[in-house]
Amino acid sequence: MSKPIYLVGGSKGGVGKSMVTMALIDYLQGNAESVVLIETDTSNPDVWKTYGESTKGELVNLEEADGWIKLINICGDDGNKESTIVINTRAANNQGVQKYGETLNSTLEELGRTLIALWVVNRQRDSLELLKDFREALPNALVHVVRNGYFGEESKYQLYNGSKIRAAVEEKGGKSLTFPDMADLLADDIYTKRLTIAKASADLPIGNRAELKRWKALANVMFDEVAKS
Ligand SMILES: Nc1ncnc2c1ncn2[C@@H]1O[C@H](COP(=O)(O)OP(=O)(O)OP(=O)(O)O)[C@@H](O)[C@H]1O
Ligand SMILES: [Mg+2]
């Protein structure tokens, strides 16, 4: 079976897209998968800066038609056939998706890859409105919604939990997932030192590593759900 393309979206700034991308790369590599990272946050390529050394990757601007061509060519390159593609998107990426998403949407069949979107949300309404636009622009994507535990427990996501968009997502086989909250002390360490999760798991002091282990186990449960889709 050919390897999927994961797109970590959400469009809103600061909802946790980069963190979910890093956790996903860590999960895939932990399962001995080869990963190609596509960093589309050209103004603040944080995942690229952290994972660029240990993971094959490209910086691609998805606000321009050229970027989508580049992305599709990477996905179709014979040298990447055995690799899972992981796309980290930037805030306000919806404009590029609206304009050019169809270019990717229409080539998925020829690429022989599935497009799995992890749509990261906080508890506000605009996260859901942006999701509606995204689903329309990329109708062939399988979309899972990721409630980021950083903004509160699953039960606090009342707006999403009782929404029509949730029903629409799940009707198409999408799942409603919860991403674990990581202790601030550890998250700050990982961000400021630009540590990959693997490096943090090896190098940090024992207390930080214990928290990372707890968080990682929960994140892996979530990604196991994604992998089953
Ligand atoms: N699950 C989490 N646990 C702990 N901290 C988190 C979590 N999710 C997000 N954060 C915090 O929120 C900040 C923003 O997260 P992140 O950079 O992943 O968001 P983003 O959506 O990629 O933002 P941007 O739109 O700027 O790219 C991080 O610096 C991190 O400290
Ligand atoms: Mg980011």
Side-chain angles (χ1 to χ4, degrees):
M1 207 171 67
S2 51
K3 303 289 180 183
I5 302 166
Y6 287 106
L7 181 150
V8 182
S11 203
K12 272 199 78 170
V15 289
K17 301 179 296 296
S18 294
M19 195 145 182
V20 171
T21 303
M22 293 196 289
L24 174 62
I25 296 172
D26 181 69
Y27 172 83
L28 292 168
Q29 291 178 337
N31 285 323
E33 294 284 343
S34 157
V35 172
V36 174
L37 165 68
I38 310 284
E39 172 66 271
T40 75
D41 194 343
T42 46
S43 55
N44 175 31
D46 52 358
V47 180
W48 163 267
K49 282 186 186 159
T50 305
Y51 276 85
E53 257 176 45
S54 60
T55 303
K56 185 175 175 184
E58 297 264 359
L59 265 175
V60 173
N61 183 354
L62 292 187
E63 306 313 304
E64 296 172 353
D66 287 0
W68 289 84
I69 296 174
K70 201 170 156 188
L71 165 67
I72 293 164
N73 289 343
I74 294 167
C75 294
D77 189 318
D78 275 349
N80 294 331
K81 233 183 185 155
E82 297 307 318
S83 298
T84 300
I85 311 290
V86 175
I87 307 171
N88 181 51
T89 63
R90 48 169 269 180
N93 169 249
N94 256 27
Q95 286 164 16
V97 171
Q98 299 291 320
K99 260 186 164 164
Y100 309 114
E102 180 54 22
T103 324
L104 174 62
N105 193 63
S106 62
T107 32
L108 287 171
E109 202 177 316
E110 190 178 337
L111 285 170
R113 292 187 189 256
T114 51
L115 174 62
I116 300 172
L118 298 179
W119 191 262
V120 188
V121 295
N122 64 9
R123 286 161 47 208
Q124 289 160 10
R125 185 176 299 277
D126 46 355
S127 268
L128 305 183
E129 283 163 358
L130 291 160
L131 170 57
K132 196 164 164 269
D133 297 341
F134 178 85
R135 290 178 76 240
E136 281 166 15
L138 283 167
N140 292 336
L142 171 60
V143 181
H144 302 302
V145 171
V146 177
R147 292 168 290 217
N148 189 349
Y150 180 59
F151 301 104
E153 290 171 10
E154 201 172 295
S155 60
K156 289 195 175 165
Y157 277 83
Q158 284 152 343
L159 202 59
Y160 172 72
N161 293 344
S163 66
K164 279 193 193 143
I165 194 133
R166 177 185 187 165
V169 163
E170 292 182 358
E171 197 188 322
K172 283 221 162 175
K175 297 181 180 179
S176 303
L177 306 162
T178 299
F179 185 65
D181 186 22
M182 178 191 278
D184 291 342
L185 194 79
L186 177 60
D188 291 350
D189 236 11
I190 287 179
Y191 269 80
T192 50
K193 294 179 187 157
R194 294 205 187 285
L195 296 173
T196 65
I197 292 167
K199 188 140 177 51
S201 303
D203 292 358
L204 290 179
I206 184 164
N208 303 44
R209 281 190 279 115
E211 162 62 5
L212 185 54
K213 199 172 162 192
R214 179 198 70 83
W215 174 85
K216 217 176 120 160
L218 293 170
N220 286 354
V221 169
M222 186 188 99
F223 291 122
D224 281 342
E225 275 299 306
V226 172
K228 274 193 242 157
S229 59

